[in-house]
Amino acid sequence: MATFTETAKKLKAELAETIIEISDGNKIPYVKIDATAAHDAATALYGAGYDSLLYITAKDYPDDGELELVWHYFSYPTNEEFFVKARVPRSGAHVPTISDIYAHAEWQEDEVYEMFGVAFEGHPNPRRLLTPEWLEGHPLLKDYENPDLEKIPNQ
């Protein structure tokens, strides 16, 4: 079973043009990739023994006009974990699905689409999970406005 350093080197060799940065991180190491390589990275990680995807989420950077997607991978045999990160545009972003590799990613991709608006190409059954069908927009974007919701002032 490979450590993060060995796996990062393997990713760099296999996905050279799409690797943007490799870092030991603050607490959890990470690899930044071009979003188009998400499926290739997941395939390589699964093959390297990262048998679990803990979650997929996104961070909104409205001033930059981007979202940062974060996939959190974990290896139970070695107790190793790390993030794969990718930047995408805030609107109209498309990223390849990884649900054919990590089956439980299907629900997580649905949630990221619903909350942030990132579409996952090849997703087998995209649907809303947490909000009604009639709701417009994506509630976790920082500039999301819904007249039916009452804003709570910052204190």
Side-chain angles (χ1 to χ4, degrees), residues 6 12-13 27 42 46 52 77 81 93 101-102 110 116 124-125 130:
E6 294 164 343
K12 184 72 172 169
K27 293 184 180 180
Y46 190 80
S52 184
E81 63 184 316
I101 303 163
Y102 296 93
D110 284 337
F116 293 97
N125 186 20
L130 305 170

Side-chain angles (χ1 to χ4, degrees), residues 74-130:
F74 187 77
S75 170
Y76 281 99
T78 63
N79 201 29
E80 293 270 340
E81 63 184 316
F82 73 96
F83 296 126
V84 172
K85 301 179 180 186
R87 291 276 181 131
V88 296
R90 285 184 86 228
S91 62
H94 293 274
V95 178
T97 185
I98 62 166
S99 63
D100 58 322
I101 303 163
Y102 296 93
H104 56 285
E106 187 174 330
W107 184 87
Q108 296 174 30
E109 291 174 354
D110 284 337
E111 184 179 18
V112 170
Y113 168 72
E114 187 174 11
M115 295 292 124
F116 293 97
V118 177
F120 290 85
E121 295 173 348
H123 191 289
N125 186 20
R127 61 190 164 175
R128 287 187 175 268
L129 301 170
L130 305 170

Side-chain angles (χ1 to χ4, degrees), residues 131 134-136 138-139 144-152:
T131 60
W134 52 262
L135 185 72
E136 292 183 23
H138 304 285
Y144 176 74
E145 300 261 342
N146 184 331
D148 297 331
L149 298 176
E150 181 179 334
K151 288 198 178 208
I152 298 171

Side-chain angles (χ1 to χ4, degrees), residues 9-28:
K9 286 179 185 176
K10 180 181 177 183
L11 284 174
K12 184 72 172 169
E14 291 180 19
L15 309 171
E17 308 85 45
T18 60
I19 299 290
I20 297 168
E21 178 184 354
I22 297 174
S23 174
D24 290 337
N26 187 10
K27 293 184 180 180
I28 299 175

